[in-house]
Amino acid sequence: MQLSSLVGRLPYPSQGLQRALAISAIITQAGIGVTGSIVRVTGSGLGCPTWPQCFPGSMVPVEHPEYATLNQWIEYGNRLLTIVVVFVAALCVLAAWRVYLDHPNRKRLVKLAWIMPAGVVAQAIIGGITVLADLLWWVVALHFLPSTVLVWMAVVLLRAFNEGDEPPRSLVPRASRPVLGALVVALSGLIIAGTVVTGAGPHGGDPDVERLDAPIETLTRIHSFFLYAFLAVLVILGVQWYRARVEKKLWARYATVWGIALAQGLLGIIQYRLGIPEALVSLHVLGSMLVIAATAALWCATRDRGPVVSAAPATDRHAVGAA
């Protein structure tokens, strides 16, 4: 109750601020994945060979004959970005908590907000294990995957700030629900297969890191299969929604997913044909984050939880912890 009392003294966040914080969460959660790929393609994964310190006895990079200064700072910069991610996640929690104090029915909003800092803590722990495991490929994959989940959940949080908490009412045909589930499954397979391709590729974060001993051509075909499956499910959804005459706003989200997914597929083909150049790897990771965010937005748009009731503070404050 003491914490609730302290939070209750904060100014009530405007709806614009609520949205800005959720969008910042999406950007920072996606950004940490992209900067992680930059660490990998520049061979900077062991630029700071210990964790949480950069070097034994030093939290920051120091001159060292075995580690290039640039590589040290690239890895250290990625670690520093975690502080920004934590800061934004904490602000999301405070905003959701402050809203809840005036609108006690908004428990779901608070739960969604807490996922952000909880995920960052999990990421930090896995990141430490990744360094201690000398960038073992499957540990690196496990380090990346939580970021994809957190981007999805940050989009859900953004939606939650802009809607009510009524029981969800579907805006699409009943037959579309399992198809939407299949879309998420195909997207999950696409992302996981991508990390496996990366595990067999040339960019391991350090020149001496052991790579996955598997033919990259075969792994790339598997990765492509999931993209085709993802697009095929999108086609099925489009047919269903056309017949059901769904709302226009759904078509805008639907078209966005198509555009980003096709661009990402084209980028993947170019990347493979050019021998997986470093810059395109990071751009491809950014594309994967955009596909996740767009698909999450489409998923959220298929349900309605009523109008937002917490855009402004309660006129008669009877909130939890208000006293």
Side-chain angles (χ1 to χ4, degrees):
M1 294 298 287
Q2 242 181 350
L3 280 175
S4 291
S5 181
L6 289 173
V7 173
R9 295 174 186 173
L10 296 174
Y12 192 88
S14 66
Q15 193 165 23
L17 179 58
Q18 294 174 35
R19 290 172 180 165
L21 290 175
I23 292 172
S24 297
I26 297 170
I27 293 172
T28 53
Q29 296 293 356
I32 199 74
V34 175
T35 58
S37 73
I38 294 173
V39 170
R40 190 170 66 246
V41 299
T42 57
S44 305
L46 294 178
C48 287
T50 62
W51 186 90
Q53 295 180 324
C54 184
F55 283 88
S58 175
M59 293 296 295
V60 299
V62 296
E63 189 173 348
H64 196 286
E66 295 182 23
Y67 302 96
T69 301
L70 178 61
N71 293 130
Q72 290 183 43
W73 280 101
I74 290 174
E75 164 61 11
Y76 185 67
N78 185 57
R79 294 188 184 188
L80 284 180
L81 183 58
T82 303
I83 298 174
V84 178
V85 180
V86 170
F87 180 69
V88 171
L91 290 179
C92 286
V93 170
L94 288 175
W97 197 344
R98 181 63 184 83
V99 166
Y100 167 69
L101 292 178
D102 267 44
H103 303 276
N105 61 322
R106 302 247 56 195
K107 291 181 180 178
R108 174 174 169 269
L109 178 65
V110 177
K111 291 177 182 177
L112 287 171
W114 270 110
I115 291 174
M116 295 298 106
V120 174
V121 171
Q123 273 286 64
I125 293 172
I126 298 173
I129 294 172
T130 301
V131 173
L132 298 176
D134 291 331
L135 308 184
L136 193 60
W137 75 267
W138 61 268
V139 181
V140 173
L142 288 177
H143 186 38
F144 173 74
L145 291 175
S147 291
T148 64
V149 176
L150 289 171
V151 169
W152 181 286
M153 295 309 301
V155 174
V156 176
L157 177 63
L158 173 62
R159 176 73 175 190
F161 273 123
N162 292 305
E163 65 182 1
D165 278 314
E166 297 175 8
R169 178 177 63 87
S170 181
L171 301 177
V172 297
R174 184 179 230 176
S176 290
R177 302 315 307 178
V179 180
L180 282 167
L183 187 70
V184 175
V185 170
L187 178 61
S188 301
L190 179 63
I191 299 299
I192 294 171
T195 65
V196 176
V197 172
T198 301
H203 306 299
D206 187 83
D208 298 324
V209 169
E210 183 180 347
R211 313 305 292 137
L212 171 62
D213 186 16
I216 195 167
E217 295 83 3
T218 301
L219 297 177
T220 302
R221 289 193 187 98
I222 295 172
H223 185 45
S224 300
F225 165 79
F226 280 107
L227 175 60
Y228 297 142
F230 181 81
L231 297 177
V233 176
L234 274 179
V235 170
I236 295 172
L237 275 180
V239 172
Q240 288 181 333
W241 293 358
Y242 177 77
R243 290 176 175 174
R245 300 290 190 268
V246 299
E247 298 179 10
K248 288 184 179 180
K249 65 179 181 179
L250 279 172
W251 286 115
R253 301 284 177 88
Y254 179 81
T256 299
V257 175
W258 262 108
I260 296 175
L262 289 176
Q264 176 74 338
L266 178 61
L267 178 60
I269 292 172
I270 295 173
Q271 174 183 278
Y272 182 75
R273 295 286 175 83
L274 294 180
I276 318 180
E278 290 85 350
L280 292 188
V281 172
S282 294
L283 194 58
H284 197 56
V285 171
L286 174 61
S288 69
M289 295 300 185
L290 293 176
V291 171
I292 293 165
T295 306
L298 178 66
W299 173 278
C300 291
T302 62
R303 299 175 179 179
D304 178 48
R305 290 180 176 269
V308 62
V309 296
S310 53
T315 53
D316 179 22
R317 192 170 179 201
H318 54 281
V320 178

